[in-house]
Structure formats: structure tokens, C-alpha cells
Amino acid sequence: MATSPRTFGVEEEFLLLDPDSLAVRAAAPRVLSRSSGRGDLDGELDGDLDVELTREQVESGSAPHTSLALVRGSLSTLRRAAAQAARAEGVMLAATATSPTRGDPTLTHKPRYERMRDEFGLTAREQLTCGCHVHVGIESPDEAVGALDRLRPWLSVLAALSANSPLWHGEDTGYASYRTQVWARWPTAGAPAAFGSAAEYDRVVDLLVRSGAAMDDDMIYFDARLSRHYPTLELRVADVCLSVEDAVLLAALARGLVTTAAADWADGRPVPDARPEVLRAATWRAARDGIQGELVDPVSGELVKARAMVDRLVERISPALAAAGDLAAVGGMVDTLFARGTGADRQRAMLRRRGRIADVVDLIVRETDPESAGGSPV
């Protein structure tokens, strides 16, 4: 294990909803202008807020930290700032990975996004989804690829734990994470095969870009990838989480996975024999059932109760969690998640009470930032 905890940071994507129609609203440029240049926010953000593919979304990115407490504080502050700016613009910030209501996304006016629309058509035009990306610090590209090759079998478990997109255009999709299904339309999405070296990773990325499946390195949408901009391994498989606590759990598990997998690489332990086809099946099963059924062990192929699979993950990375001081906290957060349910479970439970999408939206807005939500306008 690393002698000190690796740095890690979290990116979260959010929807902007109209308080009257409950539909998504193209307010991101105005919301972001309200969040910048304000003295009451500038010194608190511990990260930044930015545009996304559509004008119905905003994205936050925490600063890198080494402790869960600091990551939790950063995420809470960023959500609060974004929620305050959204309310000032007359919209609501919503931490849900797909919109529970109908609404047509509109592209953010950037040449890159306009080219994506032209190159990828309806896939880009309908891509109104929100993910949660965890960046974990790495020492070198070789270490990053060595870790990536070895952590691939566990990515589907992170997808199950973070599932928070059961609704699409006012209907229950039958998936706990329908975002995963929508995101899979991109030609570079999903779990890759093992690469073996940084040189091979670069070669495959170059082939994908030259093929037109990606415009550039930033469109390599693997479930985990080497960041183009930071010295990090970026785990991208998760939905944006309903609550900050679930995002903190995801971040802790992601760092534990990278730390464990990097140590395996350094010690020369073999790459797990997990075929990409089985990894995709495992992610599909995780997206459909979340933690309310069975998950696929992508190495053995057997179906395992979700709680047992999560416990296997925690046990596998427990030395890394303990070394970072996270083991007890992660155990408590896992227990809480299974008792309370994922964001998808909670959205569905709210919908079953009275059959009202408005109740689901109210839940999402309150959970996105409990401090600033107060009583939502729904």
C-alpha cells in the first residue's frame, strides 16, 4: 500500500428543473454567472462549477484531498453554492442521473459540443444524463494502466451502489440506473479489455480517435480511464448520487480500489481473467437491479446477492481503507445505504406513495442539498 493516502476528488453533474412545470430548464449560463464573482461564495467553494453538454446541467468539481471529511465538506459546499445560484435564477438543482420529467435538452453553445452533435446525432442530442466521476491520484501512466486492468471487475459494483436514475420522461424505466443504458450509446463507453501497458492504452485510444468513434482523448468514455488533464485515474461508471453521503462512500471505495489495484500491479500480481463481454453483462445487471437483487461476479460469472458482493469488495480493499483511516466509516455508510436504499430505491418508494412525480422531484431537490433546500417550491 502507498505510505500515505492518495489524493482524490469528485465531479458531480446536476440537472436544473423548473419549479412550476418540473421540466428541465436551459438556465445553466445564468446560474453559473450568479455563482461567480460573489464574495460570499468565492472563498468557500473548494472547487469549481462549470457548464456541461446541455444548458439544463451544471457540473461541480471538488479540489483534491486526502481525507473523507475534506471531500465531504467540499461536495457539500459546492452543492450549496450551486443550489443557491439556481434558486436565485428561479430553478432547482437536482442530483438525479436522468430527469424524472419530460423535457428536451438544448446544447451548450461551444464549438466542441456543436461538433459532437454533428458527429454523433441523436446520441448527443438526447444525452441528458448526470454522472459522478472520482479522480484518484496516480504516480505514472504505467501505474494507472496497471491499476485499471486490475480493478475492472469491481466497477459494476460501484454502478449498483450509486444507481439513481429509475425514471425517464415520467416513466419507470425498469432500471435502477437508466443513465447507464443511455450512456452506453457512445461508441467508446463501457468496460474495456485489459491493456497491459501505458503504450498499449495510448495505441488503443489513438485507434479510437482515428476511427471517428471519439473526437479526441476527452471522448474516451471507458468506465475508468486515464485523465487527460490530471495525474489521476478517473472512475466514471457511477450515477450522480442523491445524497452527499452516498457520493462520499463512492469516493472512498474508488480510492480503495485504485490503491489496492496499484499495489497488485506493483507486486506483479496477475490481471483478473475478466472478459469485456462479461463485464458489460455485469454492468447491465447492476444498472437494472441496483442493490435490490443479484450482481454478477465478473470473474467467476456467478450471480451473488448484492450485499454479499459489496461485502466482497470492502473485504478486498480493506487494507487500503484501513491505511487511509476509512474502514470504519465505509462500513457504517454501507450499512446505511442498504438500510435506506440507493437514490433509485428512494425515488421509486416516493413515487409508490401517491403516484406523483412532483413528490419525487421534491425528494430529489431536498436531498441534493438539505441545508439550502428548506422547503422546495414543488
Side-chain angles (χ1 to χ4, degrees):
M1 296 301 162
T3 56
S4 60
R6 293 173 184 266
T7 58
F8 62 147
V10 180
E11 296 174 353
E12 294 190 292
E13 298 163 351
F14 305 99
L15 296 180
L16 299 170
L17 302 180
D18 186 279
D20 297 318
S21 69
L22 307 185
V24 293
R25 203 162 100 190
R30 296 186 300 277
V31 168
L32 291 170
S33 70
R34 288 182 179 274
S35 71
S36 63
R38 291 174 53 183
D40 58 335
L41 295 179
D42 288 348
E44 299 177 10
L45 283 186
D46 193 32
D48 55 38
L49 302 173
D50 205 351
V51 297
E52 248 299 325
L53 177 64
T54 79
R55 290 185 289 165
E56 290 76 16
Q57 296 171 280
V58 294
E59 178 186 73
S60 73
S62 78
H65 291 293
T66 58
S67 80
L68 285 188
L70 290 175
V71 167
R72 179 184 290 106
S74 183
L75 293 178
S76 297
T77 299
L78 286 163
R79 285 192 179 205
R80 187 179 312 118
Q84 289 172 357
R87 284 202 313 281
E89 188 54 41
V91 292
M92 304 181 297
L93 191 74
T96 180
T98 55
S99 176
T101 58
R102 289 188 174 275
D104 296 320
T106 53
L107 208 66
T108 297
H109 295 310
K110 290 179 67 172
R112 172 182 174 76
Y113 293 153
E114 290 165 0
R115 184 183 166 201
M116 287 172 68
R117 175 198 60 203
D118 294 342
E119 294 284 341
F120 296 94
L122 195 62
T123 294
R125 297 199 303 272
E126 286 191 341
Q127 197 57 239
L128 186 62
T129 64
C130 295
C132 181
H133 307 157
V134 183
H135 287 258
V136 182
I138 48 91
E139 295 296 324
S140 68
D142 282 321
E143 181 190 61
V145 172
L148 169 58
D149 286 352
R150 289 159 177 80
L151 62 77
R152 295 173 307 127
W154 297 104
L155 291 170
S156 60
V157 182
L158 300 185
L161 288 167
S162 66
N164 185 34
S165 49
L167 305 178
W168 177 265
H169 290 179
E171 297 184 11
D172 191 316
T173 63
Y175 286 85
S177 173
Y178 191 62
R179 167 196 158 273
T180 301
Q181 298 301 108
V182 177
W183 189 256
R185 298 175 187 175
W186 293 111
T188 63
F195 296 99
S197 68
E200 178 64 7
Y201 180 93
D202 290 342
R203 188 185 75 85
V204 171
V205 168
D206 181 63
L207 287 173
L208 290 170
V209 172
R210 286 195 284 125
S211 76
M215 296 191 318
D216 51 36
D217 290 10
D218 283 336
M219 281 196 71
I220 300 301
Y221 292 148
F222 300 153
D223 289 345
R225 71 179 184 185
L226 277 66
S227 173
R228 184 183 181 189
H229 304 286
Y230 307 106
T232 63
L233 185 56
E234 181 185 2
L235 279 62
R236 304 171 45 87
V237 73
D239 282 1
V240 66
C241 295
L242 185 59
S243 70
V244 167
E245 283 304 298
D246 290 350
V248 171
L249 171 60
L250 175 71
L253 293 173
R255 179 169 65 170
L257 262 176
V258 173
T259 301
T260 302
D264 287 348
W265 166 78
D267 292 341
R269 296 191 180 97
V271 172
D273 184 17
R275 291 186 60 93
E277 300 90 339
V278 180
L279 295 178
R280 286 195 293 270
T283 301
W284 170 82
R285 183 91 185 202
R288 191 190 71 175
D289 294 348
I291 62 172
Q292 295 304 320
E294 295 177 312
L295 299 176
V296 178
D297 182 314
V299 176
S300 70
E302 65 178 311
L303 290 174
V304 180
K305 288 289 186 183
R307 180 60 198 253
M309 195 68 182
V310 172
D311 288 344
R312 287 184 188 182
L313 168 59
V314 173
E315 181 180 6
R316 177 73 184 87
I317 66 175
S318 59
L321 295 175
D326 297 343
L327 186 57
V330 165
M333 286 188 286
V334 168
D335 288 342
T336 297
L337 182 67
F338 274 88
R340 184 184 61 196
T342 63
D345 297 329
R346 299 176 71 194
Q347 288 194 44
R348 281 178 166 146
M350 184 59 75
L351 185 61
R352 285 194 298 268
R353 287 175 57 185
R354 294 192 296 174
R356 285 167 34 96
I357 292 291
D359 292 344
V360 178
V361 173
D362 186 49
L363 167 72
I364 293 167
V365 171
R366 285 186 285 108
E367 287 292 325
T368 299
D369 176 41
E371 281 192 36
S372 68
S376 82
V378 179

